[in-house]
């Protein structure tokens, strides 16, 4: 079994891109289990909202389940980067698949970046996806 931790946010396009990255893994339907993770700022909100109730989580969960990939859910409260790394350790995740946001190098320095912190501190592979792009005819 290959375990993927997928921290999600409210972005449908990032959730879709993250799901597509997992679906593209070898033998995904037969061997991959994904844990959707959302890190809440507020414990009360965590008690009343599941990750797949958020826009990004709903899109990701639906797409993964349609591809016959097992989906589990986890919620935490605290600093997102810290909680993502702790969840990866607890799950013994083989990989973390994050939905990245576009930032300038200066923006990342000034404002910090969850993705950057996870990449630097993770002891397992981290895949950063962007948002899904739609094409029009």
């Amino acid at each position: 079994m290959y375990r993927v931790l997928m921290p999600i946010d409210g972005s449908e396009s990032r959730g879709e891109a993250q799901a597509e990255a997992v679906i593209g893994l070898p033998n995904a339907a037969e061997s991959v289990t994904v844990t959707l993770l959302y890190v809440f700022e507020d414990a009360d909100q965590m008690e009343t909202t599941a990750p797949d109730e958020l826009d990004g989580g709903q899109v990701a969960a639906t797409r993964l389940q349609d591809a016959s990939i097992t989906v589990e859910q986890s919620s935490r409260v605290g600093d997102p980067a810290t909680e993502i790394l702790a969840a990866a350790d607890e799950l013994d995740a083989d990989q973390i698949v994050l939905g990245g946001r576009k930032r300038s190098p200066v923006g990342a320095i000034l404002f910090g970046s969850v993705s950057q912190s996870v990449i630097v501190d993770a002891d397992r592979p981290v895949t950063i996806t962007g948002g899904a792009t739609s094409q029009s005819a």
Side-chain angles (χ1 to χ4, degrees):
M1 184 57 59
Y2 191 82
R3 291 189 91 30
V4 174
L5 178 65
M6 184 185 293
I8 52 93
D9 62 17
S11 168
E12 290 181 6
S13 68
R14 282 192 293 273
E16 182 178 347
Q18 288 170 272
E20 292 301 325
V22 171
I23 290 166
L25 293 171
N27 303 312
E30 296 83 24
S31 63
V32 174
T33 296
V34 173
T35 299
L36 294 180
L37 171 70
Y38 189 80
V39 180
F40 291 91
E41 293 179 12
D42 179 295
D44 291 337
Q45 188 181 16
M46 182 182 79
E47 296 298 323
T48 60
T49 308
D52 70 353
E53 294 178 81
L54 302 164
D55 291 341
Q58 184 177 35
V59 168
T62 299
R63 185 67 188 98
L64 292 165
Q65 290 164 344
D66 287 349
S68 300
I69 295 173
T70 302
V71 177
E72 299 172 349
Q73 298 187 71
S74 179
S75 299
R76 300 174 78 102
V77 175
D79 173 69
T82 300
E83 295 303 324
I84 289 166
L85 294 168
D89 285 342
E90 289 170 19
L91 289 169
D92 195 24
D94 295 291
Q95 181 176 356
I96 301 169
V97 177
L98 285 170
R101 296 179 180 168
K102 290 185 180 181
R103 289 191 177 200
S104 69
V106 172
I109 291 169
L110 293 176
F111 303 111
S113 166
V114 171
S115 298
Q116 183 177 357
S117 295
V118 171
I119 291 168
V120 169
D121 294 330
D123 59 359
R124 65 200 78 236
V126 178
T127 300
I128 305 294
T129 66
T133 57
S134 56
Q135 297 179 359
S136 56

